[in-house]
Amino acid sequence: MDKVKSFIIAAGAALVPAFDYLYGEGDAVAAIMVTLLFFIIMDWISGVRAAKKDFTYASRYGLDGIIRTFFILLLPAGGHLLDVVLSLPGAFFGALAFGTLYHVVQSMTANSIRAGWGDFLPLPVLNAIIEWVKSELDKKIKRAESRKDGEAQ
């Protein structure tokens, strides 16, 4: 057995039990966490594209985003651990996982609009989506403008 294969097997042997301990077992838990990770990646992609489009891309902000994403991914784990302590059937895990997923999808949608990817939508649909993400979009635009101002000084 080569070293790479041994490393992958050892990583799986360590990570799967750690994942089960932090998030719980079962297909539903795995599906929720894979869905959350999928939309986080889409949020990153749309955020990078939006930042490059409005010239506010900064690797420092991106590095902070990695830490923020790690924190976000730990929220459902904390929910599961609370469920275990309180002997609940996944209530905190579900609330934190779906609340986090809602926020990430909203952020991804706002980033996509900032990146100009909503232009192909019919105007009534685009207006409804913009209304749904308005506060998130406003925060992102304000943050981007403040980063631009910070570079000018």
Side-chain angles (χ1 to χ4, degrees):
M1 194 168 14
D2 64 8
K3 290 181 182 181
V4 173
K5 187 174 181 181
S6 297
F7 175 77
I8 291 171
I9 290 170
L15 292 176
V16 170
F19 180 89
D20 285 348
Y21 176 78
L22 286 174
Y23 296 100
E25 298 179 18
D27 292 341
V29 170
I32 290 167
M33 293 311 298
V34 167
T35 302
L36 183 56
L37 186 59
F38 174 82
F39 282 106
I40 285 173
I41 291 168
M42 290 186 62
D43 186 31
W44 279 1
I45 292 168
S46 60
V48 167
R49 184 62 196 124
K52 287 189 176 192
K53 184 175 182 182
D54 64 16
F55 306 107
T56 59
Y57 181 80
S59 59
R60 172 76 178 126
Y61 188 74
L63 292 173
D64 288 343
I66 292 170
I67 295 167
R68 184 176 53 251
T69 298
F70 184 68
F71 179 86
I72 287 170
L73 286 172
L74 286 175
L75 288 171
H80 169 69
L81 295 173
L82 283 172
D83 287 335
V84 170
V85 168
L86 300 172
S87 299
L88 295 173
F92 282 108
F93 170 80
L96 288 172
F98 281 98
T100 301
L101 182 60
Y102 179 87
H103 172 75
V104 169
V105 169
Q106 197 174 39
S107 175
M108 177 207 63
T109 304
N111 283 334
S112 298
I113 291 169
R114 278 183 52 227
W117 297 345
D119 296 344
F120 68 90
L121 294 171
L123 197 54
V125 173
L126 181 59
N127 286 338
I129 290 172
I130 288 172
E131 188 61 35
W132 175 58
V133 297
K134 184 173 180 4
S135 66
E136 184 72 18
L137 189 58
D138 290 344
K139 285 186 245 175
K140 289 179 180 297
I141 291 170
K142 186 176 181 179
R143 187 169 54 236
E145 288 172 357
S146 72
R147 280 189 282 175
K148 276 185 185 176
D149 294 341
E151 289 176 9
Q153 295 175 353

